[in-house]
Amino acid sequence: MIDRVAPRAISSLQNETVKLIRSLDMRKARRETGLFVAEGASVLLTARDCGWAPRMLVSGPDAPASTAFAALRAWAAASAADHLDVTAAVLEKIAAKENPQSLIGVFEQRWAALPVVDTDQARQSVWVALEEIRDPGNLGTIIRTADAAGVAGIILVGNTCDPYSREAVRASMGSVFAVPIARADHAGFVTTARSWPGDVVGTHLRGTRDYREANYDRPVLLVMGNEGAGLSDALSEVCNELVRIPMIGRLDSLNLAVATALMLFEIQRPILRSSRA
Ligand code: SAM
């Protein structure tokens, strides 16, 4: 039986657990195992604070210098996680190429159910639907922004990039642990949108209303289009309003994550109050 408290010292790149963690860079392996990787002490502390439990904790030679190390180690032990203490050479292969971290966690993916608006709290909520989002950096940034804006959850519609890819997790800065993420095909999303009791607001370059003039009756379902093709006709039709963010300049649109941020902070404006105000 593995001693779950004492870390396992690992120096071989041929170790099966090391090979498994490396394979999680590939979407196919993430899909088959249901696992994903998150890096860095502050991201792991966010995971802990959001009630997640790691399946594995990997620490490199520099990890003990981190003030968070003891806390994360205790969390891993309490979660009966496998703790691997790896050499610098192994860590180099497991950690990100850019800004590698000496503490890495492996987690089970969580997928939320599509929202059911049946409580007072749910009737006040804001959800964001992202149609066919392709760029994991955009997705991670949107997850982070949704967390900051107090969004109840995100729905990934159709064939989207993976929120549990390393790039999306990194761009979310740990918010992937805080924001429920659901997924739906187009038909499933259309069913949800048609029975939505509040405003279903689409963003479209041909939107007829300035986004600052819409009402946003809660619960709000905000629908954002694909980076290249924009919002499809099928999803535009289920929106009871299409809004546009007015622009000056030569380009026809904003980056998807920027447009989502503008929309969310406008929708949430009535409830967002500066603590210094
Ligand atoms: N060529 C695409 C089109 O025709 O819609 C541009 C897509 S844009 C990069 C990605 C998404 O961001 C859009 O589908 C929309 O949801 C949102 N978006 C970007 N700029 C916008 C704007 N000025 N007004 C409303 N939505 C915008």
Side-chain angles (χ1 to χ4, degrees):
M1 192 174 140
I2 297 169
D3 178 347
R4 297 289 186 180
V5 176
R8 286 199 287 145
I10 292 184
S11 57
S12 168
L13 290 172
Q14 299 314 313
N15 175 277
E16 289 303 320
T17 309
V18 171
K19 285 203 257 182
L20 167 67
I21 297 171
R22 290 183 71 186
S23 76
L24 296 176
D25 277 346
M26 289 177 293
R27 188 170 194 172
K28 182 170 179 285
R30 290 194 301 277
R31 199 180 288 130
E32 285 171 1
T33 61
L35 299 174
F36 71 103
V37 172
E39 270 190 65
S42 74
V43 168
L44 297 180
L45 287 171
T46 301
R48 182 197 63 176
D49 295 346
C50 290
W52 289 60
R55 277 273 291 271
M56 298 172 206
L57 177 70
V58 181
S59 52
D62 296 336
S66 155
T67 49
F69 180 60
L72 292 172
R73 213 183 139 168
W75 171 53
S79 311
D82 195 2
H83 182 176
L84 318 181
D85 183 14
V86 302
T87 59
V90 172
L91 187 70
E92 192 189 325
K93 294 293 180 192
I94 297 177
K97 301 287 166 276
E98 277 172 41
N99 193 19
Q101 302 287 318
S102 54
L103 283 163
I104 295 170
V106 176
F107 299 86
E108 280 169 32
Q109 301 168 21
R110 284 188 194 169
W111 294 97
L114 285 171
V116 178
V117 183
D118 59 358
T119 63
D120 287 348
Q121 191 183 4
R123 278 186 276 278
Q124 294 307 311
S125 65
V126 177
W127 279 76
V128 188
L130 304 170
E131 185 181 23
E132 309 261 332
I133 178 168
R134 288 287 192 273
D135 180 337
N138 269 345
L139 178 52
T141 303
I142 290 171
I143 294 169
R144 179 180 181 177
T145 306
D147 186 16
V151 158
I154 292 174
I155 305 171
L156 301 177
V157 184
N159 185 16
T160 69
C161 61
D162 182 3
Y164 294 112
S165 68
R166 198 185 276 269
E167 194 180 345
V169 171
R170 185 173 53 228
S172 86
M173 296 294 287
S175 290
V176 74
F177 295 107
V179 180
I181 301 173
R183 50 191 170 178
D185 58 17
H186 277 77
F189 178 73
V190 165
T191 303
T192 296
R194 288 222 165 102
S195 60
W196 193 258
D199 275 341
V200 181
V201 181
T203 51
H204 204 294
L205 305 189
R206 293 198 309 274
T208 48
R209 197 155 188 193
D210 183 318
Y211 80 115
R212 295 163 296 187
E213 288 161 6
N215 286 330
Y216 306 117
D217 284 338
R218 286 164 195 264
V220 179
L221 179 54
L222 171 67
V223 191
M224 306 296 300
N226 163 268
E227 289 98 333
L231 196 61
S232 67
D233 290 346
L235 291 206
S236 298
E237 278 160 19
V238 296
C239 298
N240 57 281
E241 178 131 63
L242 291 180
V243 301
R244 194 171 61 86
I245 304 166
M247 296 174 28
I248 299 170
R250 280 174 300 158
L251 297 180
D252 71 342
S253 65
L254 293 162
N255 162 275
L256 170 61
V258 171
T260 309
L262 285 170
M263 288 301 304
L264 288 179
F265 278 84
E266 179 62 22
I267 293 167
Q268 294 289 63
R269 191 156 53 95
I271 65 161
L272 290 168
R273 296 267 176 270
S274 168
S275 56
R276 279 174 287 174

